Amino acid sequence: KLARELKASAAQQARLSAEADAAEASGDFAEAHVRLKTLRELWPEDRELYRTRYAMVAERLGHQRLEANAHQEARDLYFEALSANPDLVDQLRLPLGYAALQVVLPQLQQGEMQSARRELLTVFEVLPDHPAITYCLAITEESCGNLSEAAELYSRLAGPEHKQIDGKQHLASLRQ
């Protein structure tokens, strides 16, 4: 009985893997993502086997969702990709930063500083050198009354490479 179950399990695993292959080949990254996620959940002992592929599919699906202006979903998929393969951080720096900013900008415009701050802190942990994320986080820290944190963040943007943001000006206004 155990041998039959193992054989059925291996067949199911092979079927899911083939379905993921077919979905990926046809450009249906949503379906490939579902299949690979199922494989990772049902066979945790083989999780590493699917890690790189899962990360790649999550990244590609994230790009598709970003193109469709589904920014929150894209952001979440990029985090899934990074969770599976942290080596993708340089590759995902721009799309993750963009998706996160698109999620947080409406919050900032509506004065929802605490929720914007939480989102920005999450992204900042992964992208501490992203100037726009750093700048928006500095703004939220300042508006939440966390002036020392805001000053530290603005100081990161005080160099000549950040002329458009001009962290020096913000630091000077905080000191006044």
Side-chain angles (χ1 to χ4, degrees):
K1 182 180 177 176
L2 179 59
R4 232 184 357 243
E5 287 177 8
L6 288 174
K7 190 174 179 181
S9 177
Q12 182 185 16
Q13 188 175 11
R15 181 183 53 78
L16 281 168
S17 185
E19 289 172 354
D21 288 342
E24 194 175 342
S26 71
D28 187 352
F29 296 111
E31 189 62 32
H33 181 257
V34 168
R35 297 291 184 235
L36 289 168
K37 192 172 193 171
T38 302
L39 283 164
R40 288 172 50 99
E41 290 169 358
L42 292 179
W43 290 276
E45 67 277 7
D46 293 334
R47 191 175 188 88
E48 190 60 27
L49 178 68
Y50 300 109
R51 181 181 70 84
T52 303
R53 192 166 155 211
Y54 178 77
M56 182 188 70
V57 167
E59 175 190 5
R60 287 183 179 167
L61 182 56
H63 293 333
Q64 285 181 344
R65 301 311 303 145
L66 194 61
E67 288 174 11
N69 292 323
H71 301 114
Q72 181 69 49
E73 192 176 341
R75 174 221 174 270
D76 294 345
L77 285 160
Y78 293 142
F79 271 110
E80 278 185 40
L82 286 172
S83 176
N85 186 357
D87 294 338
L88 292 175
V89 70
D90 289 335
Q91 194 170 312
L92 292 177
R93 183 176 188 275
L94 290 176
L96 173 58
Y98 177 78
L101 287 170
Q102 296 308 306
V103 169
V104 82
L105 286 175
Q107 296 170 347
L108 291 172
Q109 291 166 344
Q110 295 169 7
E112 299 170 5
M113 294 303 179
Q114 287 298 334
S115 61
R117 181 178 176 270
R118 281 190 299 276
E119 173 67 24
L120 289 163
L121 283 170
T122 300
V123 178
F124 185 76
E125 286 180 29
V126 177
L127 303 175
D129 61 342
H130 194 290
I133 298 294
T134 303
Y135 180 65
C136 289
L137 182 56
I139 290 170
T140 61
E141 292 292 10
E142 184 178 0
S143 71
C144 291
N146 304 324
L147 301 184
S148 62
E149 289 88 349
E152 193 276 320
L153 291 164
Y154 284 133
S155 70
R156 291 176 178 230
L157 303 169
E161 67 277 14
H162 301 294
K163 289 178 188 174
Q164 290 178 319
I165 296 174
D166 196 8
K168 283 183 186 178
Q169 179 185 355
H170 290 286
L171 270 173
S173 71
L174 272 181
R175 290 184 178 137
Q176 291 175 354

